[in-house]
Amino acid sequence: MAAGDRVVVVGAGVAGLTTAVVLAEAGASVHVIAEQVPGVTSLAAGAMWGPYLVEPKDKVEQWGQRSLDIFRRLAEDPDTGVRLTSGIEASRTAETAPDWATTLPGFRPCEPAELPDGFTSGYRFTVPLIDMPSYLDYLLSRFRNAGGLVEHRRLTSLSDAAPASVIVNCAGLGARDLVPDPDLRPIRGQHVVVTNPGLTEFFSEDTGLSPDLLCFYPHGDTVVLGGTAIDGEGGLAPDGTAAASILARCAEVEPRLTQTRVLEHRIGARPTRAKVRVEEETREDGTVVVHNYGHGGAGVTLSWGCAEEARSLLSVK
């Protein structure tokens, strides 16, 4: 496609807004259509860079590394909501560190005295933490500064996004009906946002496939506590029992969290499939669609790499 062609990006979560920025700054005329701007699932993210149970492994490594490089640059500007932060990922079993962690700045195994009670192993590193409300506002502003337009509208099919030279499908869980894609399923995630009692470092437990997560991410005056990963559930109503369990799990690791005040609950439905889908499709009516969805819990981690791949599929330089 040529610079100046009209591209419609469906969806305004982190995948959609990042893709819209990349395309608009490459010279395309980009129109974002979404029911919610920004998307609620992206707003609910913690968020820490790190591949999270997604495939295909080789592409995930490529997309994730590209995103990491860009997040490191964005961390130089405090207005982006991105900060490089040190912290610990720990396990209650003798787990080895994943390959991606060993390449991060400051990586080293934890001394036993650094680990909370009940944990047998862990490692320390420095990684981007992203304050999602601030970051999504930054992306939206950057997109508009590049000439992009935003329309709040619910689509019942991808055809409703016409007229367009190309449609880029970043609809997240909405792609299940819009494509349709029956292999796409929700994994419900809940976080609790509290006042910060003085935390400056993150903590995350390697909980494997458990639906009960344990993490806390400080963002200035607030801390995001997590979390849940309930496979097959997509409801967005707060769960008081789950919130109390999140608070209790986090406070057990960091007692200062007992002194906090709950500010809000953030709930999202991670759009999950066997493999992240980033590919081009020509539909029966001749419309070119580039799909970029199914990132599960790694939407932020893969966002820039997937957006640039979508751009390359369209040959927009």
Side-chain angles (χ1 to χ4, degrees), residues 190-192 213 215 225-228 241-251:
Q190 180 164 340
H191 287 106
V192 181
L213 311 182
C215 58
L225 311 181
T228 62
T241 300
S245 296
I246 290 168
L247 284 162
R249 289 197 297 272
C250 292

Side-chain angles (χ1 to χ4, degrees), residues 296-315:
V300 176
T301 296
L302 306 180
S303 56
W304 288 98
C306 289
E308 291 186 350
E309 178 139 338
R311 180 185 64 192
S312 70
L313 290 172
L314 296 175
S315 299

Side-chain angles (χ1 to χ4, degrees), residues 47 83 96 138 161 169 173 188 197 233 241 248 250 264 281-282 287:
R83 293 182 303 110
T96 57
Y138 161 77
N169 170 25
L173 193 60
R188 175 186 160 95
E233 292 193 15
T241 300
C250 292
E264 63 174 312
E281 172 193 12
T282 301
T287 303

Side-chain angles (χ1 to χ4, degrees), residues 125-140:
F125 53 80
T126 298
V127 72
L129 281 191
I130 300 97
D131 177 20
M132 290 306 291
S134 298
Y135 179 61
L136 293 171
D137 281 348
Y138 161 77
L139 287 179
L140 197 54

Side-chain angles (χ1 to χ4, degrees), residues 19-315:
T19 303
V21 166
V22 167
L23 293 175
E25 292 183 348
S29 176
V30 184
H31 186 166
V32 168
I33 300 177
E35 183 178 11
Q36 299 161 327
V37 182
V40 294
T41 292
S42 291
L43 277 171
M48 183 179 83
W49 181 92
Y52 181 75
L53 300 176
V54 280
E55 297 286 346
K57 186 175 187 295
D58 57 339
K59 297 296 290 186
V60 164
E61 289 177 351
Q62 174 188 328
W63 295 328
Q65 186 59 52
R66 179 56 180 156
S67 299
L68 177 60
D69 292 341
I70 293 176
F71 281 127
R72 284 171 171 160
R73 294 205 303 267
L74 292 176
E76 298 173 3
D77 179 358
D79 291 337
T80 64
V82 181
R83 293 182 303 110
L84 297 180
T85 307
S86 178
I88 289 174
E89 181 154 316
S91 174
R92 300 177 195 268
T93 58
E95 300 289 344
T96 57
D99 292 342
W100 59 263
T102 63
T103 65
L104 294 171
F107 175 85
R108 65 170 176 81
C110 290
E111 299 292 337
E114 296 178 273
L115 297 172
D117 291 343
F119 288 83
T120 60
S121 64
Y123 37 93
R124 175 178 289 279
F125 53 80
T126 298
V127 72
L129 281 191
I130 300 97
D131 177 20
M132 290 306 291
S134 298
Y135 179 61
L136 293 171
D137 281 348
Y138 161 77
L139 287 179
L140 197 54
S141 176
R142 182 166 162 179
F143 172 60
R144 285 174 167 146
N145 287 340
L149 300 176
V150 177
E151 179 182 354
H152 294 251
R153 178 159 62 96
R154 178 182 178 84
L155 301 180
T156 57
S157 72
L158 291 177
S159 300
D160 290 346
S165 303
V166 174
I167 297 171
V168 185
N169 170 25
C170 299
L173 193 60
R176 184 171 54 178
D177 296 326
L178 291 176
V179 172
D181 184 348
D183 294 329
L184 192 63
R185 71 187 195 279
I187 295 183
R188 175 186 160 95
Q190 180 164 340
H191 287 106
V192 181
V193 183
V194 300
T195 54
N196 191 344
L199 279 60
T200 58
E201 295 193 332
F202 70 84
F203 181 89
S204 178
E205 178 181 357
D206 180 358
T207 53
L209 298 176
S210 171
D212 298 323
L213 311 182
L214 197 169
C215 58
F216 45 82
Y217 305 129
H219 295 294
D221 293 335
T222 64
V223 185
V224 177
L225 311 181
T228 62
I230 305 175
D231 205 331
E233 292 193 15
L236 300 180
D239 181 332
T241 300
S245 296
I246 290 168
L247 284 162
R249 289 197 297 272
C250 292
E252 185 178 7
V253 170
E254 175 47 78
R256 284 179 291 177
L257 290 171
T258 61
Q259 307 165 16
T260 60
R261 177 169 53 88
V262 173
L263 299 175
E264 63 174 312
H265 302 271
R266 295 179 184 168
I267 300 94
R270 305 176 181 102
T272 306
R273 66 197 306 272
K275 293 183 179 180
V276 177
R277 188 181 187 190
V278 183
E279 62 184 12
E280 182 179 348
E281 172 193 12
T282 301
R283 315 205 95 192
E284 291 182 358
D285 62 1
T287 303
V288 175
V289 177
V290 171
H291 298 286
N292 179 12
Y293 69 89
H295 306 91
V300 176
T301 296
L302 306 180
S303 56
W304 288 98
C306 289
E308 291 186 350
E309 178 139 338
R311 180 185 64 192
S312 70
L313 290 172
L314 296 175
S315 299

